[in-house]
Structure formats: structure tokens, C-alpha cells
Amino acid sequence: MVSNPVDILTYIAHKRSGWPRGRIIGSGTVLDSARFRHLLSQHCGVDVHNVHAYILGEHGDSELAAWSMTNMAGMPIEQFCRQCEKCDDWKAARRKITEQVKHSAFTSLTTKGPPRSRSAWP
């Protein structure tokens, strides 16, 4: 299911389809995980292909950054940060990155402007 609100629509599609559990999948945290990896890549100066990080849970404000599973350049994030020493306050940087990911969908929607009516479609 690729639509918004993804969690609600995935649930409704599951219930209405009658298909077994696991047949309909929502994509919300897949996109958020990609955003998370991108922000970490930018912040730490590591190629995004060498950043392994995941957002878990429900898409939106209650989602969680899985910091304990996060790896940068082949090492756990805690070890990377001790060696990197780029941040004065890594905990504050974590909070900021997590908040950016949580609010990125809202930011994307508000910067696009109001939706066009169907009559305005080509």
C-alpha cells in the first residue's frame, strides 16, 4: 500500500480484501528509513551506501529510530561517534535527526502547496 495515511489505508485494505495477514504491506517506514539513512549520511559525511539504519513502528509521530541497529561505515553508531568526534552533543544531534525524519513527510506536503483539483489535471 503506497498512499496516505498509509497505516490506516493498509489496515482498511487488509480488512476489506479478506486476504491473509501479510499479503498487504504498507510502505511508510521504508520511506522513512531511506530518509533516516540520507540524513545520517549528510550529517556524518559517510556515503549513504555505507549507512545501515531503520525506522520502526507506525509511520508518523510514533515511529522509532532503531539506533541500536544503526551502523555507519561498518561499525555500530556508538563506536563511529566516539571515533568521529564531529558533534559536540551527539544526543542532541540524534534527537534533531529523528525529529527531521518524523516531520519530513509533513514538510514535503506543505512545501508542495495545495492539491490541484481534478479539473486542473492535464
Side-chain angles (χ1 to χ4, degrees):
M1 180 64 61
V2 182
S3 186
N4 275 323
V6 68
D7 296 319
I8 294 166
L9 292 174
T10 301
Y11 178 78
I12 291 169
H14 166 67
K15 290 299 181 186
R16 290 207 174 164
S17 71
W19 289 348
R21 184 179 174 98
R23 180 98 188 262
I24 296 176
I25 301 170
S27 65
T29 55
V30 172
L31 177 58
D32 292 332
S33 292
R35 288 177 173 142
F36 186 38
R37 286 190 293 276
H38 174 75
L39 289 171
L40 285 169
S41 169
Q42 285 185 320
H43 181 79
C44 297
V46 173
D47 185 279
V48 73
H49 293 97
N50 294 314
V51 177
H52 302 280
Y54 307 94
I55 296 293
L56 306 173
E58 183 180 15
H59 177 60
D61 288 341
S62 64
E63 67 191 20
L64 304 170
W67 290 105
S68 63
M69 296 173 57
T70 301
N71 284 277
M72 302 291 290
M75 61 182 83
I77 190 77
E78 297 292 336
Q79 181 182 350
F80 180 86
C81 291
R82 280 193 300 272
Q83 292 178 7
C84 173
E85 298 179 348
K86 181 178 179 180
C87 303
D88 292 330
D89 185 358
W90 172 235
K91 289 182 181 184
R94 275 187 182 193
R95 284 190 299 275
K96 181 180 176 185
I97 290 168
T98 302
E99 288 304 309
Q100 283 180 289
V101 172
K102 284 183 182 182
H103 300 294
S104 61
F106 176 76
T107 302
S108 294
L109 291 174
T110 57
T111 57
K112 288 181 181 179
R116 299 184 311 178
S117 67
R118 285 190 179 256
S119 60
W121 290 1

